Amino acid sequence: MSTPYTVRVAEDPADREACFAVRKEVFVGEQGVPEDIEYDAYDATALHVLAIGADGIPLGTGRLLHGAAAAGKTGGDASVGSLGRLAVSRRARGLGVGAALVRAVEDAARGLGLTAVDLHAQTQALGFYERLGYTAYGPEFQDAGIAHRAMRRPLTPA
């Protein structure tokens, strides 16, 4: 049985708080990421996407950095966005929420005229992103004490 949900761009402060609640549950609560590094200055200008269950409960989130905010994560290429902070609550895993959030970020990136999306994937999630068309590049690195690899997917125009 699947749980109905919708995915949309976070539009207001309540949406953003819902995004932060999912991130806190997953990254801080489950993965032990220190709360003081989970939230950063990029949150204020990033485009956030939110998955909401039919019951109104937030199920997942992700964010897109673009322009100058993404430059440090994409090798300085202004045409590449940076997907990050993708999190799906435990109760929504296996329902396709993560893939729907990635596609929503990609759609937003296309809307901004970006030609590719980069991300820093936890190594245990490489297969998930590869199935969505991302290719790993560069060496493994640590972020918040968790092994990651950089990945990229070129975007085709809508």
Side-chain angles (χ1 to χ4, degrees), residues 82-129:
S82 177
L83 186 160
R85 303 303 204 268
L86 185 75
V88 176
S89 69
R90 186 181 306 270
R91 67 187 158 276
R93 293 182 190 147
L95 302 176
V97 173
L101 288 163
V102 170
R103 296 304 187 220
V105 166
E106 292 170 351
D107 289 345
R110 274 188 205 88
L112 293 168
L114 301 178
T115 62
V117 172
D118 268 17
L119 57 88
H120 293 165
Q122 293 181 9
T123 56
Q124 51 88 17
L126 287 172
F128 166 77
Y129 290 110

Side-chain angles (χ1 to χ4, degrees), residues 5-26:
Y5 62 88
T6 58
V7 176
R8 60 182 168 78
V9 172
E11 298 290 340
D12 57 37
D15 284 351
R16 192 151 304 183
E17 287 306 314
C19 293
F20 293 163
V22 173
R23 285 170 45 185
K24 184 172 184 175
E25 173 192 337
V26 174

Side-chain angles (χ1 to χ4, degrees), residues 24-113:
K24 184 172 184 175
E25 173 192 337
V26 174
F27 296 126
V28 178
E30 292 180 27
Q31 297 182 356
V33 173
E35 193 166 357
D36 62 328
I37 67 169
E38 172 51 31
Y39 309 101
D40 59 27
Y42 296 120
D43 283 324
T45 58
L47 181 141
H48 297 264
V49 294
L50 177 63
I52 298 280
D55 57 5
I57 294 176
L59 301 176
T61 188
R63 76 176 185 186
L64 174 67
L65 304 180
H66 53 92
K73 298 177 181 288
T74 64
D77 187 341
S79 71
V80 179
S82 177
L83 186 160
R85 303 303 204 268
L86 185 75
V88 176
S89 69
R90 186 181 306 270
R91 67 187 158 276
R93 293 182 190 147
L95 302 176
V97 173
L101 288 163
V102 170
R103 296 304 187 220
V105 166
E106 292 170 351
D107 289 345
R110 274 188 205 88
L112 293 168

